[in-house]
Structure formats: C-alpha cells, structure tokens
C-alpha cells in the first residue's frame, strides 16, 4: 500500500474526514504513524485535553478528557513516559502525581491566562488577609500556587470541593482562586461565601449574553451548553453549565438536534463524530495556548524526549498534597 492509501485506510480517518482535507490528512498521517511507533518504543502514552485539535484527539491520544480526568489518568498511568497534549499546568499536574516518570510537554510555552494571573506570594497575602479560611486553587494554576493552598479543584468538582473544604474547616466562607467567574458560578450553587481572585480565562471571558441571544434567535431549538469559566450572565442564559467532559456527556446522553458549546472551538469538532445526529453551531473561541500543541511537536517531543517537566522536589511535595486532597474527596 502507498502512504496515501494507508492514510485513508486508517480507522481514525472516518472520524476526521469532515474536518480535514484529504491532502492535509496524508501529510498528517506521516506524523501520526511516526508518533505511534515512538509511543511503543518509548513506552509512552499521550493524554490529550478536550481542546486539542481533532487529529491529536482521534489520531494519537490514548486518553482524552477534562482536567479532572487527565489528573486521574496521570495518577493511574503505567507507562514510563507521559506526553501531555494540553497546557503547561496540566503537564505539571501530571508530573506532581508521577514524580518518578518522565512527563513531556510538546511546547512549554503553552500557558494559560488563569495560571498566569496569580503567584504564590499573592496566595500568601490573600491568606493573611482572611485568616482561618480554607484556600482552594483551580487546577489552572502553577505548582508554586498549588503548594500554598489547602485543596485543588477543577470545573468538574468545584462545588463539591468548596462544600467539603468549608465543612472540614467549620467556616461559612472559603477563598477560591484565581477565576472570578468560576468562583461566582460556584457561589450561586452553594450557601458558602466565596472570596475570589480577579483572574479570568481569556477564551471564556469574551462570551456575552448577546452571543447566546443571537444563537437562540438564529436557531429556536438550539441547546446551549457553557463552560463555568464564562461570565455569570452567560452561564445563566445557558441551558446547562459544566466542565468539558460534562458538556460531552450531556450531548451523548441527550442527543440534542442542535447544540452550541460556549467554549473552545475544538470541543465541537472532537465530539461531532460520536454524535452524528447533532448539529454543532457557533459561537466558539480558540485558545491560543492549547493550539501551540501540534502533531509535529508531539513527534519531536517523543523523538528528543524533551521538554521534560521538572518541579523542585520540596515544592512538589506541598503542591501534590492539594491535588491528592481533591482526588480523595468522596
Ligand atoms: P476542563 O477541566 O473543563 O476541561 O477545563 C479546562 C480548561 O482549561 C477550560 O478552559
Ligand atoms: Fe487557560 Fe482559558 Fe486556555 Fe483553558 S481555555 S487553557 S482556561 S486560557
């Protein structure tokens, strides 16, 4: 078989054909084939976030999911090498949970506006201003910030962690950082007062109530699902809010005729093939950090075994504690 016929015979192509032109797929397939061989040779697995491009999601990823699933799977991983196809804080979290494994990030510049909005010194100052209150850090933070807090949380378990932390500390308030929108959206679901930081996701903060009104005016039957990093009024105007995995789950369970995922654009492309009866409509926004990761960079990372994530061992012990506390909440 020629390279082209091998590419079109690959079962992954059936899931990608509607997103990738044939000529591009043949070129991508070269990288995909090389990555699959390298994974075997290096005893590596690829964990990919739901916002990765469809050729990564369907072509080379061993496990896909939201931040919580990736953290859990990183902890269970048996392979010697983990490639984190996602942003830097996700790779750091995988390393925190696997200090003896090699964790590779294909582009270490893949940051996150939330993670960059707060430092360890900011957390210490916040704690000093509100003594006695438990501090919860969204997983979208650096290891240095996680080392200063009591619990980590993700968008999938924010409410549960807030309630658990307040209950354990015997307080009616908690500090939750750095996303002011996730904090506000979580506060609406609990009786607990949340003291927030002023960070925001540069992708989700751009959605407005007018976007939702426009999509509803265009498609009367559309179901609107929003990520809780969106502003409160956007979440309030939506039919459901949840983590990227919760949104994928909602579509799989309810099979709406039309859906708008108010989140990063690749989300819709990635779950479209599993939901052929659903039409995915805009708006969506791209995350420039997630989009730094490409097939070619994954191939290079596995070929050169770089860049490996490193974390100062003392800091890692403290940061791991907050992630493990989250994972231990029943
Ligand atoms: P999830 O944990 O919902 O996948 O969200 C991660 C993220 O960065 C969303 O912007
Ligand atoms: Fe960070 Fe937002 Fe990108 Fe998620 S979508 S990685 S929160 S900048």
């Amino acid at each position: 078989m020629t390279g082209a016929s091998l590419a079109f015979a690959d079962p992954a192509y059936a899931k990608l054909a509607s997103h990738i032109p044939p000529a591009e797929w043949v070129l991508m397939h070269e990288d995909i084939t090389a990555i699959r061989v390298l994974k075997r040779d290096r005893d590596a697995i690829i964990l990919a976030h739901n916002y990765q491009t469809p050729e990564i999601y369907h072509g080379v990823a061993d496990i896909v999911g939201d931040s919580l699933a990736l953290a859990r799977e990183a902890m269970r991983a048996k392979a010697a090498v983990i490639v984190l196809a996602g942003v830097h804080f996700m790779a750091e979290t995988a390393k925190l949970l696997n200090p003896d494994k090699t964790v590779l990030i294909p582009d270490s510049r893949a940051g996150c506006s939330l993670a960059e909005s707060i430092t360890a010194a900011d957390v210490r100052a916040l704690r000093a201003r509100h003594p006695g209150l438990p501090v919860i850090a969204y997983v979208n933070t650096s290891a240095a910030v996680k080392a200063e807090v009591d619990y980590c949380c993700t968008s999938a378990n924010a409410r549960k962690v807030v309630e658990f932390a307040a209950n354990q500390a015997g307080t009616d308030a908690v500090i939750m950082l750095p996303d002011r929108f996730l904090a506000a959206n979580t506060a609406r679901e609990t009786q607990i007062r949340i003291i927030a930081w002023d960070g925001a996701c540069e992708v989700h903060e751009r959605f407005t109530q007018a976007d939702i009104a426009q999509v509803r005016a265009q498609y009367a039957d559309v179901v609107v699902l929003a990520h809780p990093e969106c502003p409160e009024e956007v979440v309030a105007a939506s039919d459901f809010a949840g983590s990227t995995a919760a949104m994928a789950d909602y579509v799989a369970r309810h099979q709406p005729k039309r859906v708008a995922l108010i989140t990063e654009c690749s989300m819709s492309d990635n779950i479209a093939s599993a939901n052929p009866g659903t039409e995915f409509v805009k708006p969506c926004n791209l995350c420039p950090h997630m989009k730094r990761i490409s097939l070619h960079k994954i191939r290079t990372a596995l070929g050169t075994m770089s860049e490996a994530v490193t974390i100062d061992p003392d800091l890692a012990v403290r940061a791991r504690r907050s992630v493990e506390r989250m994972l231990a909440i029943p």
Side-chain angles (χ1 to χ4, degrees):
M1 273 214 248
T2 64
S5 39
L6 277 173
F8 295 118
D10 190 316
Y13 186 60
K15 298 177 184 159
L16 296 163
S18 53
H19 302 290
I20 299 173
E24 238 177 88
W25 172 246
V26 174
L27 292 177
M28 283 176 176
H29 199 257
E30 251 183 71
D31 280 333
I32 289 176
T33 309
I35 290 167
R36 289 175 182 163
V37 171
L38 281 162
K39 279 201 294 186
R40 201 187 50 220
D41 293 350
R42 304 287 199 200
D43 184 22
I45 54 163
I46 298 179
L47 305 188
H49 186 259
N50 288 327
Y51 294 163
Q52 290 299 293
T53 50
E55 64 276 13
I56 294 175
Y57 188 94
H58 291 297
V60 296
D62 298 286
I63 287 156
V64 294
D66 64 359
S67 308
L68 182 60
L70 296 185
R72 287 218 166 100
E73 294 298 336
M75 200 167 62
R76 292 184 192 133
K78 298 263 185 302
V81 178
I82 296 171
V83 180
L84 205 306
V87 292
H88 192 263
F89 75 79
M90 295 176 177
E92 254 191 356
T93 308
K95 181 68 182 173
L96 284 176
L97 296 169
N98 291 281
D100 301 328
K101 289 191 175 150
T102 301
V103 176
L104 301 175
I105 174 129
D107 188 331
S108 61
R109 296 167 304 165
C112 168
S113 64
L114 281 168
E116 276 136 39
S117 71
I118 189 160
T119 64
D122 293 328
V123 183
R124 287 193 290 271
L126 207 48
R127 209 191 260 286
R129 241 179 290 142
H130 304 280
L133 293 192
V135 184
I136 301 162
Y138 193 26
V139 68
N140 298 39
T141 47
S142 65
V145 163
K146 289 187 180 79
E148 296 292 335
V149 306
D150 303 306
Y151 297 89
C152 185
C153 79
T154 75
S155 58
N157 61 18
R159 176 186 175 172
K160 193 162 78 171
V161 176
V162 163
E163 287 173 346
F164 185 86
N167 191 23
Q168 289 291 107
T171 58
D172 59 1
V174 300
I175 299 168
M176 187 183 188
L177 52 91
D179 187 349
R180 66 179 187 275
F181 295 128
L182 179 68
N185 287 320
T186 307
R188 283 197 331 166
E189 299 176 347
T190 74
Q191 301 302 310
I192 293 153
R193 189 164 58 89
I194 298 185
I195 294 159
W197 186 249
D198 199 25
C201 161
E202 68 189 79
V203 176
H204 291 93
E205 71 175 342
R206 284 189 281 141
F207 290 110
T208 63
Q209 229 175 342
D211 291 330
I212 313 276
Q214 201 176 353
V215 77
R216 289 203 194 276
Q218 204 174 348
Y219 306 103
D221 59 352
V222 72
V223 176
V224 180
L225 313 184
H227 195 277
E229 289 170 11
C230 292
E232 297 131 272
E233 64 277 12
V234 171
V235 167
S238 303
D239 300 303
F240 171 82
S243 78
T244 56
M247 285 192 266
D249 231 53
Y250 184 103
V251 176
R253 269 188 293 115
H254 297 272
Q255 294 287 299
K257 191 163 161 284
R258 267 202 196 90
V259 72
L261 301 185
I262 308 301
T263 190
E264 216 273 351
C265 297
S266 290
M267 212 26 236
S268 300
D269 298 342
N270 288 337
I271 64 171
S273 60
N275 300 284
T278 298
E279 185 190 348
F280 292 82
V281 298
K282 305 265 180 249
C284 66
N285 290 327
L286 283 170
C287 173
H289 310 291
M290 290 281 181
K291 264 49 210 186
R292 279 190 182 276
I293 309 299
S294 64
L295 281 177
H296 198 70
K297 288 181 187 171
I298 294 174
R299 181 178 177 175
T300 305
L302 276 169
T304 60
M305 292 296 282
S306 68
E307 270 185 58
V309 176
T310 56
I311 308 172
D312 171 80
D314 291 340
L315 184 135
V317 168
R318 292 190 292 128
R320 183 161 57 242
R321 212 176 38 201
S322 64
V323 179
E324 283 175 346
R325 275 193 191 144
M326 165 185 81
L327 294 173
I329 295 175

